[in-house]
Amino acid sequence: MTQHWIDIKNSNAVLIMGSNAAENHPISFKWVLRAKDQGATVIHVDPKFSRTSARCNFHVPLRSGTDIAFLGGMLRYILEKNLIQREYVAEYTNAGFILGKDYEFKDGLFSGYDPVKRVYDRKKWDFARDENGTPKRDKTLKDPRCVFQVMKKHYARYTLDMVSQVTGVSKANLLKVYDAFGATGKPDKAGTMMYALGWTQHTVGVQNIRLAAIIQLLLGNIGVAGGGVNALRGEPNVQGSTDHAVLWDILPGYLAPPLATQVTLEDYNKVLTPKSADPMSVNWWQNFPKYSVSLFKGWFGEAATPENGYGYDWTPKVEPGEQYSNMFMFDRMYKHQMRGAFFLGHNPAQSMPNTHKIRKALANLDWMVVGEVDHTETTDFWRGPDVDPAKVKTEVFLLPCSHRGEKGGTTTNSGRWQMWHHKGFEPAGTSKSMGQIEVELFHAVRDLYAKEGGAFPEPILKLDMDREYDPEKVAMKVNGWFTRDCTVNGKEFKKGDQVPNFTFLTADGSTTSLCWLYSGSYPEVGKNLTKRRDHTQTEMQAKLGLFPNFSWAWPVNRRIIYNRASVDVNGKPFNPALPVVLYEGDNKWVGDVVDGAGPPMAQPGGKYPFIMHTEGHAQIFGPGRVDGPLPEHYEPAETPLTVNPFSKQMNNPAIRWIESDMDQLAKHGDPRFPIVLTTYGVTEHWLSGTDSRNTKIILEAEPQLYLEMSHELAKEKGIANGDVVEIESIRGKVQAVAMVTIRVVPFKVMGKTVHLVGMPFAFGWTTPGVGDSTNRLTPTVGDPNTYIPEYKASLVNVRKAPKITELER
Amino acid sequence: MTKSFLIDTSRCTACRGCQIACKEWKDFPAVHTLQTGTHQNPPDLGPYNYKLIRFKEYKINNRVEWLFFPEQCRHCDEPGCKAGADAIMEGAIIKDKDTGAVLYTELTKQFTPQQAEDVRSMCPYNVPRWSKEKGELTKCDMCFDRITNGAVPACVKTCCTGCMNFGEREAMIKLGNERLEKIRKTYPKATLLDPDEVSVIFLVTEDRKLYHEFAERRTPAPLPGMGRQEFLASLTRPFKAMFG
């Protein structure tokens, strides 16, 4: 989130799209309803009418996978009706930047496309620059090659007619949303967008969110109270685990992973440290080497010296252009290219797409270690449906893990609040926390290396890791400490002092920090700010519900990021009734912790508000993504259409397809699979359901796999409410109970009726009679930036089950 | 001053936190359920389900209205069940003076199944359920243990949207009227259900009949033409005779 949960109450319009907030983030509705109490319009755009829709002013059904068409239409409408916040757009975004001569967009393709490798040369999307390398600008936004004009032309195709035809949303409904949300372009109004997996789990997931951000920038809704693009992260600590990089494509704090071609620390830092000649640009990432060196120093401790690049030499590198995400990893496993695997709190045999393939892949391993609280479809895959245990060679080790309530530590919520939670109970039986398990495993391996040696032993022998897992000490190390007596920013520190915050991190090995963003959370020994539960705040903060003394938020306890954009160039708040920060002169700001140092932009020494971007301006034109600088509508990998009405490119041109005998895709408009399937979480169950299915009073409330379908489709297929049905995709069949409802409606798409059905994914065979994985239906294809799978839109057919085999009746 | 609930269904998201919290506080076992084409599960109140979200869906004025009704005992001012029970056994069902909670005592275990059914049928909202396993009549007790120790009922504690409210009766009536005034601008049919007769006051946005069969207060009158008082009296006579 750019904001935090409480701030939703400050919105004048709440657009919930790509999320079923009331069901999957129930607490969010405490704040959504408070906004509604104060007159906000609350809108839900989603394929089906859910418990979220029930509490909104209105619900608009949308064909799954057409969010960019819908939002592109909104962007066009906002420009056409001139609803933008002009000063904000001209001053704070790159709308006025002039594009270089190489940029082009033609029939669905951006310039620089290599059709063989399916990758773009992103250099072709660069800005025209002056002799210092600073982008050329036209603040009047009139230059035909400026971002604003190029964007206007790009979305000219997204007419009401076109958008309505593609999305299946009536023109009246489109206008209802566009008008209500477009009204927040007034400087003293704010609209928030709340999204979750409904936007990310598409082959255009990142561009869905890019387009949301572009609209919010045009309306001046970023950095202000009640605005923002707000990812609703989950109870599984998605925010914290992303910040700390449980993903292959980042290091903690969103540092890029070293490439095999970046041989030395200098190579690595040089590539990733941006330069700006513009004195008004803070260019925050110029600090990159301080964060990278402090991270490596934290990992390798005393052994990290300038000679080994502070441990950079021992840090794993990735092959340029190679993919290591889950989908590709399982493909390698399926193709016998891996021998062993660890799964800690992960149930891929239920939750990964094309589960049949995953289950086969697991059987190709020699060994598999699973850390879990309960038995899952993964721990027990060797005795799963249609599997003969005698024929599975995989040796499985099950490590019992303690439950959340049985361990202390921190969780980071969607609003970036890092909060300590205390242990409630001693771990049951012989179970241990995952942290402890990992530490013990590591030391067992290290002891073997010490005794027997091995290839390239340094990374393992030199890692600085205690023999016991102590969450309090880890929290201190995440914040970082000084490794020797030194003076930083004119302040003296002793060896062992905690780093006050990341502005004190250095690139010379005198500091450690396991994640620079979290530096400041534990600024002194004995001062763990994540444990704060203090409600005090100033009157100005109380108006917003900022609560700066409750827990701690990254970065540096800032509650609303990009908050410099909440004031005009002279420091006057756009919305005087709800100021986020106020400039008091003399480089002093009050309210929230302001973004970066320095006075407002128009004053001497003033700074641009978007400090994380090299140019200091928010990116309406975003040349950093692999699949294009402006979002464009492409159909899902499996689509009921045979033609993409927007261009000749049917699917996202940058998708990297996974090929195997088990990776089949229905052809476009496949008559065998004419129905769109969307899948989702449900209030009562937690993710793949292993926790909640084993909590029987929860299973009682939501006991079995179901399929939500319209009355129209049910009639067509001769299905009655409560019948067991069989859903079939090109990859598999699944049985579920039909829930025939007025909450799902057929769509009119390009003149034809398109039916949509929806299923939760929380059920699995280890809980007898409840049904088995929905993901036996979904395809192994994902967004080319993140490789998050396209769970939200695929093709199926539905019929009454000829024989009930998977569900208790 | 007695206690009351205000259950503002216009704020309910049917997350069922209340339904689960009730079971958890009472330490009730799970009951076996199946998916039958609705989220409403278990299908009905029961000896291990004192709180249940009922789901109904309608198309009203071309708009989907998904109605959620967090069902529970209303803790009536003049409880029908108590009137029935008094006729059988004084003290089996009592109304706590301080809180207004209607409580089923151990004595209800002495009811025969038929007597329990007679008492049950006196409830205008069809709430009490006979537990064959425990041999007693069961329903919500307002979390009597919690509310007499300074805590709110479990269902209220868990509610995050402001749907479930609990407090002094006067405060709840006031809150109900305030909410009603606001909500009527959008839902002109919004109303408080029987606020003068019960301690558990529902605010509904649509015609009460749409929520479920017994959202409407029924008069337990098995004989046609007989009034409530007459009916009670008719029940009382033979019972009194029976127990002397």
Side-chain angles (χ1 to χ4, degrees):
Chain A
M1 280 188 176
T2 53
Q3 326 289 112
H4 56 103
W5 291 107
I6 298 172
D7 187 64
I8 296 168
K9 79 177 173 65
N10 297 322
S11 298
N12 302 103
V14 180
L15 175 61
I16 304 170
M17 188 168 170
S19 152
N20 182 358
E23 295 198 31
N24 293 321
H25 300 88
I27 308 289
S28 71
F29 258 63
K30 175 174 185 166
W31 307 109
V32 171
L33 290 177
R34 291 213 189 163
K36 201 176 170 206
D37 289 343
Q38 289 166 45
T41 309
V42 184
I43 307 158
H44 193 209
V45 180
D46 198 80
K48 77 167 199 293
F49 187 106
S50 66
R51 289 178 252 189
T52 297
S53 328
R55 292 282 75 86
C56 288
N57 293 68
F58 53 89
H59 166 252
V60 168
L62 165 95
R63 173 169 67 96
S64 192
T66 62
D67 301 72
I68 289 176
F70 186 97
L71 293 173
M74 176 156 17
L75 194 156
R76 184 187 192 274
Y77 187 82
I78 286 167
L79 296 183
E80 190 184 292
K81 300 283 172 189
N82 197 22
L83 302 173
I84 68 167
Q85 191 177 329
R86 185 89 193 178
E87 183 188 348
Y88 188 107
V89 172
E91 296 289 351
Y92 295 165
T93 77
N94 67 12
F97 286 28
I98 314 289
L99 291 175
K101 59 179 176 21
D102 291 339
Y103 172 77
E104 199 185 19
F105 176 77
K106 220 170 148 190
D107 204 11
L109 277 179
F110 298 91
S111 44
Y113 186 66
D114 176 340
V116 178
K117 290 188 180 153
R118 298 181 64 80
V119 293
Y120 282 106
D121 174 5
R122 284 178 266 177
K123 289 192 205 83
K124 302 278 186 209
W125 309 337
D126 197 5
F127 303 110
R129 294 176 184 271
D130 67 15
E131 61 284 3
N132 297 320
T134 305
K136 293 183 182 168
R137 288 176 71 187
D138 171 21
K139 279 206 214 177
T140 68
L141 312 180
K142 287 190 180 128
D143 188 298
R145 287 293 286 175
C146 82
V147 166
F148 188 81
Q149 295 300 331
V150 169
M151 167 184 70
K152 197 170 167 182
K153 196 175 150 209
H154 187 94
Y155 293 104
R157 297 164 295 140
Y158 290 66
T159 60
L160 271 186
D161 274 325
M162 181 77 143
V163 171
S164 176
Q165 290 267 325
V166 170
T167 59
V169 179
S170 71
K171 280 192 254 182
N173 271 345
L174 288 174
L175 286 173
K176 219 155 92 173
V177 181
Y178 295 174
D179 277 328
F181 204 78
T184 65
K186 295 191 184 75
D188 60 346
K189 299 284 179 206
T192 182
M193 292 189 181
M194 294 165 64
Y195 78 91
L197 307 181
W199 269 355
T200 59
Q201 291 175 343
H202 291 282
T203 43
V204 292
V206 166
Q207 298 290 356
N208 281 335
I209 296 145
R210 276 272 304 137
L211 188 45
I214 293 170
I215 290 174
Q216 288 294 61
L217 288 169
L218 291 174
L219 297 171
N221 281 340
I222 301 281
V224 300
V229 178
N230 292 306
L232 312 186
R233 319 301 296 264
E235 192 189 350
N237 199 10
V238 178
Q239 185 67 55
S241 55
T242 316
D243 300 337
H244 290 286
V246 289
L247 295 166
W248 75 271
D249 62 343
I250 42 172
L251 295 185
Y254 303 94
L255 310 184
L259 299 178
T261 47
Q262 294 159 352
V263 178
T264 66
L265 175 67
E266 289 68 37
D267 298 340
Y268 172 67
N269 279 342
K270 199 177 158 196
V271 172
L272 293 161
T273 309
K275 287 198 174 67
S276 169
D278 190 338
M280 291 179 72
S281 180
V282 173
N283 181 25
W284 197 269
W285 282 112
Q286 66 176 293
N287 296 304
F288 185 90
K290 299 173 187 173
Y291 308 152
S292 63
V293 170
S294 296
L295 174 66
F296 301 136
K297 184 73 185 161
W299 280 348
F300 294 105
E302 293 290 316
T305 63
E307 292 70 40
N308 51 45
Y310 300 102
Y312 176 84
D313 296 358
W314 303 325
T315 300
K317 316 286 189 293
V318 302
E319 289 299 327
E322 194 50 276
Q323 289 295 336
Y324 300 88
S325 68
N326 251 350
M327 285 194 301
F328 294 90
M329 182 185 80
F330 281 105
D331 188 53
R332 290 189 185 102
M333 197 185 290
Y334 178 70
K335 290 169 180 165
H336 296 272
Q337 292 164 7
M338 289 173 67
R339 286 172 56 196
F342 281 81
F343 298 108
L344 301 175
H346 185 21
N347 186 10
Q350 197 274 4
S351 63
M352 284 295 289
N354 198 5
T355 326
H356 281 310
K357 180 184 172 190
I358 305 292
R359 292 173 180 184
K360 280 228 161 83
L362 294 176
N364 291 345
L365 292 170
D366 293 343
W367 55 267
M368 172 177 115
V369 181
V370 196
E372 266 298 348
V373 176
D374 296 288
H375 283 263
T376 70
E377 287 69 33
T378 302
T379 64
D380 290 26
F381 85 90
W382 49 272
R383 62 175 191 94
D386 307 320
V387 180
D388 177 1
K391 289 188 181 146
V392 177
K393 60 156 187 166
T394 316
E395 188 175 4
V396 180
F397 302 88
L398 176 57
L399 306 177
C401 294
S402 47
H403 194 266
R404 287 186 296 289
E406 296 170 337
K407 57 189 180 188
T410 68
T411 301
T412 306
N413 78 6
S414 308
R416 298 163 285 104
W417 294 11
Q418 188 196 15
M419 292 196 281
W420 193 271
H421 62 91
H422 297 272
K423 178 158 88 173
F425 302 89
E426 285 307 314
T430 56
S431 68
K432 292 176 179 175
S433 77
M434 276 190 205
Q436 181 64 24
I437 287 174
E438 286 179 31
V439 166
E440 286 184 27
L441 274 172
F442 173 75
H443 280 284
V445 171
R446 169 135 87 190
D447 291 348
L448 278 173
Y449 265 89
K451 210 169 112 197
E452 299 172 9
F456 194 33
E458 288 87 354
I460 296 178
L461 295 175
K462 307 288 188 192
L463 197 71
D464 180 35
M465 190 185 277
D466 293 341
R467 284 218 168 238
E468 290 296 316
Y469 179 75
D470 174 2
E472 191 82 41
K473 190 164 174 203
V474 172
M476 288 175 74
K477 200 173 182 182
V478 165
N479 176 89
W481 52 59
F482 289 92
T483 62
R484 56 179 184 246
D485 295 357
C486 59
T487 303
V488 184
N489 302 342
K491 226 178 137 189
E492 278 183 34
F493 295 96
K494 293 262 169 263
K495 180 180 176 179
D497 282 353
Q498 288 291 100
V499 173
N501 63 52
F502 52 65
T503 64
F504 290 86
L505 293 176
T506 67
D508 64 1
S510 59
T511 58
T512 71
S513 172
L514 293 185
C515 184
W516 71 276
L517 284 173
Y518 284 80
S519 194
S521 60
Y522 212 130
E524 285 172 38
V525 176
K527 202 170 167 188
N528 182 344
L529 300 183
T530 72
K531 291 180 179 170
R532 294 188 301 177
R533 296 297 181 265
D534 180 352
H535 286 219
T536 53
Q537 50 187 340
T538 64
E539 202 180 317
M540 177 185 168
Q541 292 163 341
K543 267 193 204 166
L544 304 177
L546 209 61
F547 294 104
N549 297 301
F550 189 94
S551 77
W552 182 86
W554 72 254
V556 289
N557 206 31
R558 183 172 300 130
R559 304 291 163 139
I560 296 178
I561 53 180
Y562 312 120
N563 55 26
R564 256 174 202 268
S566 69
V567 297
D568 67 15
V569 293
N570 295 306
K572 205 171 131 282
F574 286 122
N575 181 1
L578 287 173
V580 181
V581 288
L582 284 175
Y583 188 61
E584 293 197 322
D586 212 12
N587 216 355
K588 188 168 181 281
W589 298 78
V590 292
D592 195 8
V593 178
V594 77
D595 253 315
M601 208 168 111
Q603 300 204 3
K607 300 293 177 195
Y608 299 135
F610 286 89
I611 63 169
M612 299 311 290
H613 286 301
T614 310
E615 298 87 15
H617 290 73
Q619 295 189 334
I620 282 177
F621 186 86
R625 307 281 71 82
V626 304
D627 49 352
L630 288 170
E632 169 69 2
H633 172 77
Y634 303 110
E635 285 291 315
E638 288 191 334
T639 164
L641 302 188
T642 48
V643 171
N644 176 4
F646 281 94
S647 75
K648 278 209 193 72
Q649 298 299 320
M650 196 63 173
N651 306 119
N652 187 336
I655 291 175
R656 192 167 143 182
W657 304 101
I658 288 178
E659 284 167 17
S660 81
D661 60 331
M662 288 191 81
D663 281 298
Q664 311 238 17
L665 286 171
K667 60 179 193 207
H668 305 320
D670 198 323
R672 295 170 299 167
F673 305 106
I675 302 167
V676 176
L677 168 74
T678 187
T679 68
Y680 33 75
V682 59
T683 310
E684 291 77 7
H685 287 288
W686 197 50
L687 301 173
S688 81
T690 55
D691 253 19
S692 47
R693 279 186 264 136
N694 286 297
T695 305
K696 298 300 178 193
I697 60 172
I698 296 178
L699 187 66
E700 165 194 309
E702 203 64 87
Q704 289 180 305
L705 184 57
Y706 57 87
L707 170 95
E708 292 181 280
M709 68 194 301
S710 69
H711 284 275
E712 292 83 351
L713 179 61
K715 199 174 159 200
E716 214 172 273
K717 300 281 183 185
I719 292 164
N721 193 39
D723 281 352
V724 173
V725 292
E726 193 163 84
I727 307 99
E728 183 175 9
S729 79
I730 199 164
R731 293 159 294 276
K733 290 177 187 170
V734 172
Q735 293 196 341
V737 179
M739 194 182 278
V740 180
T741 172
I742 55 172
R743 296 178 292 101
V744 178
V745 291
F747 293 91
K748 203 81 177 165
V749 180
M750 302 310 292
K752 286 200 318 201
T753 298
V754 173
H755 288 290
L756 177 140
V757 294
M759 295 171 81
F761 76 98
F763 298 94
W765 65 267
T766 57
T767 312
V770 305
D772 195 8
S773 177
T774 296
N775 284 315
R776 289 173 294 168
L777 301 168
T778 51
T780 320
V781 58
D783 177 278
N785 296 282
T786 61
Y787 283 98
I788 290 177
E790 190 157 63
Y791 290 111
K792 295 299 181 203
S794 59
L795 290 179
V796 295
N797 208 344
V798 178
R799 61 173 178 164
K800 202 168 160 170
K803 191 180 165 209
I804 301 168
T805 53
E806 296 188 351
L807 291 154
E808 182 189 338
R809 284 285 98 179
Chain B
M1 173 73 81
T2 58
K3 305 284 186 188
S4 282
F5 291 73
L6 174 74
I7 303 183
D8 181 352
T9 65
S10 76
R11 301 183 87 80
C12 180
T13 58
C15 73
R16 297 197 275 193
C18 56
Q19 183 178 321
I20 306 288
C22 173
K23 293 197 67 137
E24 204 157 53
W25 180 252
K26 300 284 181 197
D27 208 11
F28 283 159
V31 300
H32 186 67
T33 56
L34 293 175
Q35 173 57 254
T36 57
T38 169
H39 287 289
Q40 187 174 315
N41 238 331
D44 198 8
L45 293 170
Y48 296 123
N49 296 90
Y50 294 172
K51 182 88 185 168
L52 176 79
I53 305 280
R54 296 185 185 278
F55 293 75
K56 290 270 186 189
E57 57 186 49
Y58 301 96
K59 203 140 198 189
I60 300 171
N61 299 329
N62 213 25
R63 193 190 137 96
V64 176
E65 292 291 347
W66 201 4
L67 305 180
F68 311 132
F69 194 77
E71 172 85 292
Q72 66 171 89
C73 169
R74 310 298 198 280
H75 296 278
C76 301
D77 286 354
E78 288 179 41
C81 60
K82 181 177 180 302
D86 282 352
I88 305 167
M89 201 184 299
E90 290 277 354
I93 295 178
I94 59 174
K95 185 163 173 74
D96 180 61
K97 258 203 333 281
D98 295 338
T99 60
V102 176
L103 303 170
Y104 289 8
T105 71
E106 287 281 297
L107 292 177
T108 62
K109 287 191 172 168
Q110 295 175 25
F111 289 163
T112 65
Q114 184 54 50
Q115 285 169 338
E117 185 53 32
D118 290 340
V119 170
R120 226 181 66 70
S121 69
M122 295 291 286
C123 173
Y125 303 103
N126 186 30
V127 167
R129 294 289 180 273
W130 173 250
S131 169
K132 217 170 149 184
E133 199 183 323
K134 294 188 273 188
E136 64 183 353
L137 209 53
T138 62
K139 66 156 194 72
C140 158
D141 66 353
M142 211 186 259
C143 279
F144 195 67
D145 49 356
R146 291 176 62 94
I147 64 169
T148 50
N149 283 286
V152 296
C155 57
V156 177
K157 178 78 182 168
T158 199
C159 180
C160 64
T161 63
C163 166
M164 296 292 305
N165 304 275
F166 183 78
E168 298 298 322
R169 177 163 180 83
E170 222 166 69
M172 289 299 109
I173 297 273
K174 187 165 166 273
L175 181 66
N177 286 324
E178 282 167 10
R179 293 257 180 100
L180 192 61
E181 199 188 314
K182 270 195 115 168
I183 201 80
R184 273 201 174 141
K185 287 172 194 153
T186 334
Y187 290 97
K189 284 183 185 164
T191 180
L192 298 176
L193 299 186
D194 314 323
D196 300 330
E197 290 156 76
V198 295
S199 306
V200 179
I201 304 159
F202 283 86
L203 189 164
V204 294
T205 52
E206 300 292 339
D207 184 343
R208 62 196 293 171
K209 287 189 188 122
L210 297 178
Y211 288 80
H212 86 114
E213 191 188 348
F214 296 103
E216 181 128 62
R217 189 178 172 80
R218 67 169 176 177
T219 304
L223 300 175
M226 195 183 270
R228 183 174 152 78
Q229 289 309 314
E230 272 178 285
F231 172 57
L232 285 178
S234 76
L235 273 176
T236 309
R237 271 190 306 273
F239 284 144
K240 275 200 172 139
M242 203 182 304
F243 292 102

